[in-house]
Amino acid sequence: GTLPLVLGRGHIHSAAVLFRFYAMARSPAAEVTAIGYLNPVLVTLGAALVFGEKLALRRLAAIGVALLGAVIVLRPGLRELGPGHLSQLAAAACFAGSYLLAKRLSDLADAATVVAMMSLAVTLVLLPFAVAVWVPVTPVQAGWLALVAAFATAGHYCMTRAFAAAPLSVTQPATFLQLVWATLLGALAFGERVDPFVILGGAVIIAAISYISWREAVAHRRSVTPAPQATES
């Protein structure tokens, strides 16, 4: 039924949110975003395992290149991986699980219903954590929180509509624009240093998954274009 999927997604997405906020508080925004690009890689692998989406050799190679990009960002062995890095890795895995459940739910309900159910479930799951550390907020802070909620809800609604319209491997590459915004905001708003390794690793991941998207588009056009003789009257 739908209810177990909603509850399961609520718990997994809540864990992802907790891991991500923990990482954001301890690592630069661009670095957290770049590590988060493992999410679409995991989604693509999960889509093949769970939904039977084809995983051709080219896609496997692109996934391998994307993982190499993640290694460039993390640079294990060349620097110490802190709790923020590990937390964001866990967040990427949890978000991937949430998106896979969202794909399943998009076949059972419309986008608005999926978003509403997820928002309610995550609110209930995270409520005890919020109560445990609650501090009074000012009207200005409440306004910023409302703005964040509005953007997050709108983004999630658009993502759910995309899930209903196309395979996961096609919709995921658009998320890579986040690296551009995260790098700019981190530098301009928080004075964070722009790490060239983060940019390089993110670019490698973007190139790899964008190649997957391009190949999917080519394959889709071939599948829907009729043979020349089929158009003859």
Side-chain angles (χ1 to χ4, degrees):
T2 303
L3 183 59
L5 292 175
V6 171
L7 294 177
R9 190 185 181 213
H11 283 83
I12 293 174
H13 201 94
S14 297
V17 170
L18 291 173
F19 282 128
R20 182 172 176 82
F21 273 102
Y22 183 88
M24 288 293 292
R26 287 159 178 80
S27 300
E31 200 161 311
V32 170
T33 301
I35 297 171
Y37 287 153
L38 283 176
N39 170 28
V41 174
L42 297 175
V43 168
T44 301
L45 291 173
L49 295 174
V50 177
F51 301 123
E53 293 190 6
K54 293 182 180 179
L55 203 59
L57 182 60
R58 290 189 183 91
R59 194 185 297 181
L60 284 172
I63 288 174
V65 173
L67 292 176
L68 175 62
V71 171
I72 293 174
V73 173
L74 292 171
R75 305 192 296 283
L78 299 180
R79 66 168 180 173
E80 182 180 359
L81 297 181
H85 302 109
L86 300 178
S87 183
Q88 181 59 13
L89 288 172
C94 290
F95 274 126
S98 174
Y99 291 164
L100 289 171
L101 289 174
K103 175 64 174 177
R104 181 71 184 95
L105 285 168
S106 68
D107 296 331
L108 304 175
D110 61 86
T113 301
V114 172
V115 173
M117 290 189 297
M118 193 278 293
S119 299
L120 178 60
V122 170
T123 299
L124 294 176
V125 173
L126 292 180
L127 182 60
F129 296 95
V131 171
V133 295
W134 183 261
V135 294
V137 295
T138 65
V140 173
Q141 291 171 332
W144 281 111
L145 289 172
L147 187 62
V148 170
F151 276 116
T153 302
H156 191 81
Y157 176 79
C158 293
M159 180 195 72
T160 305
R161 290 290 300 270
F163 283 168
L168 290 168
S169 53
V170 175
T171 59
Q172 285 302 293
T175 63
F176 296 136
L177 285 173
Q178 293 174 6
L179 182 61
V180 177
W181 312 131
T183 301
L184 289 174
L185 287 174
L188 297 176
F190 305 109
E192 296 174 351
R193 183 178 67 88
V194 179
D195 188 338
F197 284 99
V198 173
I199 301 301
L200 175 61
V204 170
I205 300 173
I206 291 171
I209 306 300
S210 295
Y211 173 76
I212 292 177
S213 179
W214 174 72
R215 288 298 308 175
E216 289 290 336
V218 171
H220 179 71
R221 285 199 300 267
R222 288 175 179 172
S223 66
V224 300
T225 301
Q229 61 271 22
T231 61
E232 296 176 358
S233 55

